Amino acid sequence: MDEQAVRGGGPPRWWRHGPPWMNRRGDEERAPRWPWRSTVLLTVFVLVGSHWAAHQQAGERAALDSFARVLLAAGSGLLLWRQRYPVLVVFGTAAAATVYLGAGYPYGPVFLTVAVACFSAVVTGHRRAAWGAVAMLWAGHMLVAHWLYRWLPPAGDSAPSWGQELVIAAWVVAIVALAELTRVRREQWNRERAERAQAARRRADEERLRIARELHDVLAHSISVINVQAGVGLALLDSDPEQARTALTTIKAASKEALGEVRQVLDTLRAPGDAPRAPAPGLGRLPELVEQAASAGLTVEVTGEPPPLAPGTDLAAFRIVQEALTNVVRHSGSRRARVHLGHDGRTLRLRVDDDGPATGADAGGSGNGLAGMRERAAALGGTIEAGPRTDGGFRVRAVLPLNVKAEEDDR
């Protein structure tokens, strides 16, 4: 039994509302609106139309009396709850129409209330209830029209032709088919809307991850250089003021560059549709990276030349080398590193080696740095291998495809 019905009494949730796709926000149910205007218009139409039908069928069917008007008003008035209690309403309107027909009152727009209730039930997902109510009305009509008419008003009534029954059946099938078509189209629309929302969330997550990688790579490298130079400046402040001045100059240059790159990343957050003010870094700035590493006390030897690269691949390659050299500065006792660039026409191969030994528990770098390198390579369809060498030290090897249109240009 529905838990909500147990706690608060009243009909269970499935009786009152449609399927989960009718909800706007997760499990929070949307409060259905009260269709006052359409219900009043339908009630007036049914009453007026039934009076006109009674005039046209005078002498053939029983005249409208107070009981007939109550049945018509009750069947139409139930439609006010069709969005909240669709199952109850579809069976209620079908029962009212069955009693109306059984009493011999004129044929007319009384069937419209059942059609609207059936449509609402199917659209909100209660297909079996709608079909069951229509079947109940159809069975009641057949029972009255072809058997009980002898004992029910009006006197002298005869059974309708089977051709007339086929016309009625065609109308029933058309109403059910239209309701099913609307239900399928609404389900498709809600599914597409959910897929668009999911795609938007995925793009936002990917953008946040990209920005987080950029900030990590920029800050980790620059702060490592600043940290090393600050230590040198403090150690030489009294004994060698000129060397301390050089260290402070390096700190100023590294912090200025870091601020510029951070500002560029933050600008993409403020105006995501605008083009960046400065080009993204690439392997063309590798000499600057080597110079910055040298200012931190690390000698870097570069061999090989990179081929022409797409902007996204060029940025990823630069950041991988930058992170690898930063990890050497922070986590290795070696003061020398080797960067090798190679390609075979289809892939760019990067290799960064140091001779160690590791100076802390995070040999080779922190988890975030290595994870960021792997994410950059995976985004382009490449791979990253990082780990200790057999002869000591640490190695980072990256393989990036050259035929990738880099998502492109990192979007």
Side-chain angles (χ1 to χ4, degrees):
M1 188 173 181
D2 189 88
E3 183 181 354
Q4 183 176 352
V6 173
R7 290 197 307 265
R13 180 181 302 176
W14 63 265
W15 184 273
R16 297 176 296 147
H17 299 288
W21 54 263
M22 289 294 290
N23 299 333
R24 289 182 183 270
R25 299 179 301 274
D27 295 332
E28 181 183 354
E29 292 184 353
R30 178 183 62 176
R33 295 175 298 175
W34 292 96
W36 288 100
R37 184 178 302 175
S38 60
T39 300
V40 170
L41 291 176
L42 282 169
T43 302
V44 172
F45 178 80
V46 168
L47 289 173
V48 173
S50 297
H51 276 279
W52 183 83
H55 178 73
Q56 296 295 320
Q57 300 172 36
E60 301 177 7
R61 305 290 294 175
L64 292 180
D65 54 17
S66 299
F67 182 62
R69 294 184 181 90
V70 169
L71 287 174
L72 292 173
S76 301
L78 281 174
L79 296 176
L80 183 61
W81 288 270
R82 65 182 182 270
Q83 294 181 6
R84 295 176 179 264
Y85 307 100
V87 176
L88 177 64
V89 170
V90 72
F91 277 103
T93 54
T98 302
V99 175
Y100 178 90
L101 294 176
Y105 295 120
Y107 296 108
V110 64
F111 298 106
L112 181 61
T113 59
V114 183
V116 172
C118 175
F119 185 88
S120 296
V122 171
V123 167
T124 54
H126 301 286
R127 305 166 64 192
R128 293 184 179 179
W131 296 345
V134 171
M136 182 189 76
L137 176 62
W138 179 258
H141 165 71
M142 295 294 289
L143 187 65
V144 170
H146 293 278
W147 184 42
L148 297 179
Y149 70 92
R150 300 179 181 88
W151 300 281
L152 295 174
D157 194 14
S158 60
S161 65
W162 289 103
Q164 183 179 348
E165 297 294 347
L166 290 177
V167 173
I168 297 175
W171 275 105
V172 172
V173 171
I175 292 170
V176 174
L178 178 61
E180 288 288 344
L181 179 62
T182 304
R183 178 189 62 81
V184 170
R185 184 65 189 93
R186 183 171 294 189
E187 286 181 348
Q188 181 182 359
W189 182 82
N190 280 274
R191 187 167 54 250
E192 291 173 352
R193 183 177 64 176
E195 290 174 354
R196 288 194 298 269
Q198 183 178 3
R201 287 193 298 270
R202 185 171 57 250
R203 288 193 298 269
D205 291 341
E206 291 173 353
E207 182 66 10
R208 282 194 295 270
L209 182 61
R210 184 189 71 82
I211 292 172
R213 284 198 303 261
E214 287 293 309
L215 289 175
H216 174 273
D217 292 345
V218 170
L219 295 178
H221 175 75
S222 300
I223 291 177
S224 295
V225 173
I226 291 171
N227 180 64
V228 171
Q229 291 299 319
V232 171
L234 287 173
L236 301 177
L237 185 61
D238 296 326
S239 60
D240 192 346
E242 189 61 31
Q243 187 65 30
R245 181 186 298 275
T246 302
L248 291 175
T249 303
T250 303
I251 290 174
K252 181 179 179 180
S255 60
K256 181 179 180 180
E257 180 181 358
L259 286 173
E261 293 201 37
V262 169
R263 187 178 296 112
Q264 181 179 345
V265 174
L266 294 179
D267 284 344
T268 64
L269 290 176
R270 296 191 182 97
D274 295 345
R277 299 179 182 179
L283 291 180
R285 291 181 53 185
L286 195 54
E288 297 178 27
L289 197 60
V290 171
E291 184 179 347
Q292 291 174 0
S295 66
L298 180 67
T299 301
V300 180
E301 177 186 349
V302 180
T303 59
E305 290 291 335
L309 299 173
T313 306
D314 205 14
L315 173 63
F318 177 83
R319 293 302 190 200
I320 289 171
V321 174
Q322 184 184 51
E323 177 64 23
L325 294 179
T326 300
N327 289 338
V328 175
V329 172
R330 297 172 60 189
H331 305 293
S332 175
S334 174
R335 294 299 87 195
R336 297 183 62 86
R338 295 177 297 280
V339 177
H340 176 72
L341 307 175
H343 63 93
D344 57 9
R346 293 183 302 174
T347 58
L348 170 68
R349 300 181 181 275
L350 303 173
R351 190 177 71 242
V352 181
D353 292 289
D354 71 88
D355 297 328
T359 58
D362 292 330
S366 65
N368 289 334
L370 293 178
M373 287 193 287
R374 291 191 177 95
E375 289 167 358
R376 287 186 182 277
L380 300 172
T383 60
I384 286 282
E385 296 178 6
R389 300 189 310 174
T390 56
D391 56 348
F394 199 84
R395 169 173 291 173
V396 174
R397 180 188 290 115
V399 178
L400 304 177
L402 296 179
N403 57 352
V404 176
K405 290 292 287 183
E407 260 314 301
E408 212 351 73
D409 314 341
D410 249 20
R411 303 270 173 184

